[in-house]
């Protein structure tokens, strides 16, 4: 995925976009990558809200490359951590990322 703005996503109570959930209640309101090889470049991920982890982006049980991202003003609320980004059981390669003004109720900006 490249050269996009991902914004205003919402992940409520384990259900992205208020439809049936394939994420198992993990989070990732803007972008969710699970059991995959994901490449994200030149993206803006902003203004997303999750009731679980990873308001902006969540990578779970995957291999991911992130380059040239701006991750800003994302929120994880209630049972949550990683307001901007959450990585779980994954291999991540990161280059040139700006992370700012993300908020969460528990722990840190990046999990």
């Amino acid at each position: 995925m490249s050269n996009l703005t991902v914004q205003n996503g919402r992940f409520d109570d384990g259900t992205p976009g208020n439809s049936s959930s394939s994420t198992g209640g993990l989070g990732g309101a803007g972008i969710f990558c699970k059991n995959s090889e994901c490449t994200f470049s030149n993206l803006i991920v902003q203004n997303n809200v999750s009731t679980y982890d990873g308001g902006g982006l969540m990578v779970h049980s995957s291999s991911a490359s992130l380059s040239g991202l701006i991750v800003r003003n994302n929120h994880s609320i209630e049972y949550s951590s990683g307001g901007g980004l959450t990585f779980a059981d994954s291999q991540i390669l990161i280059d040139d990322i700006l992370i700012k003004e993300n908020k969460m109720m528990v722990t840190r900006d990046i999990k």
Side-chain angles (χ1 to χ4, degrees), residues 6 13-14 16 18 23 26-29 35 39-40 45-46 49 58 62 68 73 80-81 86 96 99 102-103 109 111:
V6 178
D13 301 320
N18 295 320
T23 68
L26 295 170
N35 299 325
T39 301
F40 304 110
V45 181
Q46 65 185 11
V49 178
M58 179 168 197
S62 298
N73 197 37
S80 59
S81 61
T86 296
D96 189 28
I99 303 166
N102 299 285
K103 297 178 183 169
D109 198 38
K111 178 181 175 189

Side-chain angles (χ1 to χ4, degrees), residues 5-59:
T5 297
V6 178
Q7 63 185 7
N8 303 322
R10 181 139 185 121
F11 184 98
D12 292 315
D13 301 320
T15 308
N18 295 320
S19 63
S20 61
S21 177
S22 62
T23 68
L26 295 170
I31 299 171
F32 180 78
C33 174
K34 182 178 179 186
N35 299 325
S36 301
E37 291 186 20
C38 308
T39 301
F40 304 110
S41 62
N42 302 314
L43 299 179
I44 298 173
V45 181
Q46 65 185 11
N47 305 325
N48 300 288
V49 178
S50 176
T51 55
Y52 290 89
D53 298 336
L57 182 144
M58 179 168 197
V59 177

Side-chain angles (χ1 to χ4, degrees), residues 76-90:
S76 59
I77 56 177
E78 295 182 30
Y79 314 103
S80 59
S81 61
L85 306 168
T86 296
F87 308 123
D89 302 319
S90 298

